[in-house]
């Protein structure tokens, strides 16, 4: 088992952390700094990511301020950026995750402001490469990561295989979505994260999530890929074996046969029809802080729907009725997640290789519960408007007294 990181709980933990940050910046050994658990005055600010970069040959620190609906980028002189970080801790942020070439440090503040410093040496040195201001789009993964070669995304020289360029884009976008959700969730400061990926297929995204958690964020990760096709499970386990990635395993089954007692992150992409409902239900029942799914093949709601008189001319066309049924199905899924204590988003994602559909539902567990009375009334009104009597997810949640 890996050695547990050293923990420093003395009152000088904050100063020790800031001194390590300054040393890494001044000696060109900073990889990145992430500030999370925002408690400041800006209600929509979620986190700040800081990385070294070069602008016109001069060293700078690039700050990306992540808000709920936008990113704000700043490029500051080194001293100015360090002063800003010192101001933010702990007044605006209660967690700081520092990755240098040699070690990873995590500074946490309790509700009473007590600092705790976690320090662990990196298994392998991380080479910091300052970013040029006009460099290509930031990627959350490097093409040099071994799992990409094992899965055929890159060749033996670490170069992207041309036929895999779309897959590479999809992998990075998914990790970006996952990373933002993680920072906004109760898992932002967790040292250990468990993930279940249902319908993992060839494992591209499953490997990527595990690599991002362990290599990118320095967390301990237990990632389970669940796939119905035995040949895919064998392929993924065979690819993972020589990579020495503890905590990554693939199992044959689906969301109905593999039911974890607890999972922090539930992922289900291309879950057909009510399989999406079973996946969401599994995530909620297992106490997941993040539920991330990409639904398709909406069949349950369409036969139930009647056309409200005002919409009848539009919904007489089968294509429009199908689109309306899809919208109603996924809107209700998002609303049920809201009623179960999640903040939910529905947005477009890079389409998967086996479907042109690109909708994604992302739910992040709220820190504080809310009253559901008004929301449940809206759900009932929406169902009544379309004449919907049954929704699989609603039935599953009520059967377990979760709704």
């Amino acid at each position: 088992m890996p050695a547990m990181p050293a923990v420093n709980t003395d009152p000088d933990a904050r100063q020790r952390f800031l001194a390590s940050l300054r040393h890494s910046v001044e000696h060109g050994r900073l990889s990145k700094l992430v500030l999370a658990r925002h408690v400041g005055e800006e209600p929509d600010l979620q986190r700040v990511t800081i990385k070294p970069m070069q602008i016109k040959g001069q060293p700078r620190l690039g700050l990306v301020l992540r808000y709920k609906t936008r990113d704000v980028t700043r490029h500051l002189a080194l001293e100015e950026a360090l002063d800003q970080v010192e101001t933010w801790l702990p007044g605006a942020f209660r967690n700081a995750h520092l990755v240098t070439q040699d070690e990873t440090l995590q500074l946490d503040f309790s509700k009473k402001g007590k600092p705790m410093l976690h320090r662990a040496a990196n298994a392998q040195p991380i080479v910091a490469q300052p970013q040029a201001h006009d460099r290509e789009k930031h990627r959350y993964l490097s093409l040099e990561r071994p799992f990409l070669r094992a899965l055929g995304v890159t060749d033996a020289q670490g170069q992207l295989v041309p036929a895999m360029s779309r897959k590479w884009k999809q992998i990075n976008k998914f990790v970006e979505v996952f990373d933002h959700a993680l920072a906004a969730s109760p898992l932002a400061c967790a040292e250990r994260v468990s993930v279940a990926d249902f319908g993992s297929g060839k494992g591209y995204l499953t490997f990527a999530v595990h690599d991002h958690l362990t290599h990118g964020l320095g967390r301990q990760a237990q990632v389970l890929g669940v796939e119905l096709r035995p040949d895919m499970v064998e392929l993924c386990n065979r690819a993972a074996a020589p990579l020495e990635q503890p905590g990554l395993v693939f199992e044959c089954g689906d969301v109905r046969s593999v039911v974890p007692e607890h999972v922090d992150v539930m992922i289900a992409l291309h879950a057909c029809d009510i399989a999406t409902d079973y996946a969401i239900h599994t995530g909620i029942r297992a106490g997941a802080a993040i539920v991330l799914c990409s639904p398709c093949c909406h069949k349950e709601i369409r036969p139930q729907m009647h056309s409200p008189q005002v919409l009848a001319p539009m919904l007489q066309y089968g294509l429009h009725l199908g689109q309306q049924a899809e919208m109603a199905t996924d809107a209700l899924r998002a609303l049920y997640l809201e009623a179960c204590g999640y903040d939910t988003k529905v947005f477009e994602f890079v389409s998967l290789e086996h479907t042109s559909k690109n909708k994604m539902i992302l739910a992040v567990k709220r820190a504080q519960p809310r009253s559901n009375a008004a929301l449940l009334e809206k759900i009932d009104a929406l169902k009544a408007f379309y004449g919907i009597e049954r929704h699989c997810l609603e039935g599953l949640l009520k059967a377990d007294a979760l709704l």
Side-chain angles (χ1 to χ4, degrees):
M1 294 182 62
M4 293 297 294
V7 180
N8 189 336
T9 58
D10 69 71
D12 294 329
R14 174 178 176 272
Q15 293 304 321
R16 295 177 189 275
F17 179 88
L18 293 173
S20 295
L21 171 62
R22 177 175 291 277
H23 182 273
S24 69
V25 170
E26 292 177 347
H27 292 80
R29 306 191 71 79
L30 172 66
S31 178
K32 69 176 178 180
L33 170 67
V34 179
L35 306 179
R37 284 180 61 203
H38 179 254
V39 293
E41 297 180 355
E42 296 184 80
D44 292 337
L45 181 60
Q46 296 179 337
R47 71 169 186 172
V48 176
T49 301
I50 302 174
K51 292 186 177 182
M53 63 189 312
Q54 295 279 343
I55 298 180
K56 296 182 179 179
Q58 296 299 315
R60 293 287 187 272
L61 288 179
L63 285 68
V64 178
L65 285 74
R66 165 67 60 176
Y67 291 85
K68 286 186 178 181
T69 59
R70 71 190 195 282
D71 287 350
V72 175
T73 301
R74 298 177 183 171
H75 306 127
L76 303 181
L78 303 185
E79 196 63 36
E80 183 181 2
L82 291 171
D83 288 344
Q84 180 64 76
V85 171
E86 186 170 356
T87 300
W88 274 334
L89 293 173
F93 294 94
R94 294 291 178 88
N95 172 264
H97 189 87
L98 171 64
V99 181
T100 73
Q101 292 185 24
D102 309 301
E103 61 181 353
T104 298
L105 295 88
Q106 184 163 294
L107 178 67
D108 290 310
F109 291 91
S110 68
K111 291 182 179 180
K112 295 182 179 181
K114 179 181 178 181
M116 294 173 288
L117 182 60
H118 308 254
R119 185 188 299 264
N122 297 330
Q124 296 180 345
I126 299 174
V127 179
Q129 296 180 346
Q131 305 177 36
H133 180 52
D134 57 351
R135 68 172 297 176
E136 63 177 291
K137 179 178 173 62
H138 168 66
R139 298 293 187 187
Y140 282 79
L141 297 171
S142 166
L143 282 171
E144 298 175 354
R145 299 306 300 145
F147 81 91
L148 294 170
R149 184 167 62 254
L151 296 178
V153 178
T154 58
D155 58 23
Q157 288 72 44
Q159 299 298 311
L160 178 65
V161 175
M164 299 299 289
S165 58
R166 182 174 177 81
K167 174 59 64 178
W168 173 234
K169 177 181 178 182
Q170 180 199 99
I171 292 171
N172 268 282
K173 185 61 180 178
F174 183 82
V175 173
E176 179 183 352
V177 170
F178 172 71
D179 185 74
H180 292 166
L182 193 70
S185 77
L187 304 173
C189 305
E191 293 184 6
R192 297 175 177 84
V193 180
S194 61
V195 181
D197 181 8
F198 292 97
S200 53
K202 294 182 180 179
Y204 297 111
L205 304 183
T206 323
F207 274 86
V209 166
H210 183 273
D211 187 84
H212 182 63
L213 284 170
T214 57
H215 177 77
L217 299 179
R219 314 284 183 93
Q220 295 182 40
Q222 188 70 38
V223 180
L224 171 65
V226 181
E227 171 59 42
L228 270 173
R229 294 168 291 178
D231 57 330
M232 291 292 99
V233 174
E234 182 182 355
L235 182 151
C236 291
N237 280 324
R238 190 167 58 246
L243 298 179
E244 298 182 356
Q245 292 185 300
L248 176 63
V249 65
F250 293 83
E251 182 177 329
C252 195
D254 63 11
V255 72
R256 299 195 200 191
S257 62
V258 180
V259 184
E261 291 185 6
H262 173 78
V263 66
D264 294 316
V265 182
M266 195 291 300
I267 301 171
L269 305 187
H270 190 58
C272 292
D273 197 23
I274 60 174
T276 294
D277 298 306
Y278 277 90
I280 294 173
H281 171 250
T282 294
I284 295 173
R285 187 172 60 180
I290 299 172
V291 174
L292 220 170
C293 59
S294 178
C296 72
C297 306
H298 304 70
K299 299 177 181 178
E300 182 194 26
I301 297 300
R302 180 168 176 169
Q304 302 180 52
M305 289 181 64
H306 63 64
S307 302
Q309 185 175 1
V310 68
L311 299 181
M314 179 179 71
L315 299 184
Q316 66 178 310
Y317 305 106
L319 175 63
H320 290 169
L321 181 60
Q323 292 172 337
Q324 197 81 344
E326 177 182 328
M327 188 184 307
T329 301
D330 291 333
L332 285 170
R333 285 166 172 162
L335 291 171
Y336 290 134
L337 280 160
E338 291 273 356
C340 290
Y342 291 81
D343 290 322
T344 310
K345 297 179 181 179
V346 181
F347 57 96
E348 288 186 338
F349 182 68
V350 181
S351 60
L352 306 177
E353 66 270 18
H354 31 254
T355 176
S356 60
K357 296 183 181 295
N358 61 350
K359 182 186 296 184
M360 187 162 283
I361 299 174
L362 170 63
V364 177
K365 193 76 171 178
R366 286 193 295 267
Q368 299 295 331
R370 299 177 186 170
S371 173
N372 282 336
L375 179 57
L376 293 176
E377 288 181 4
K378 293 179 181 179
I379 291 174
D380 289 340
L382 180 60
K383 290 171 60 183
F385 182 76
Y386 284 112
I388 299 172
E389 297 182 357
R390 303 178 313 280
H391 192 291
C392 181
L393 179 57
E394 180 185 44
L396 293 169
L397 293 173
K398 286 185 173 180
D400 284 343
L402 295 170
L403 188 63

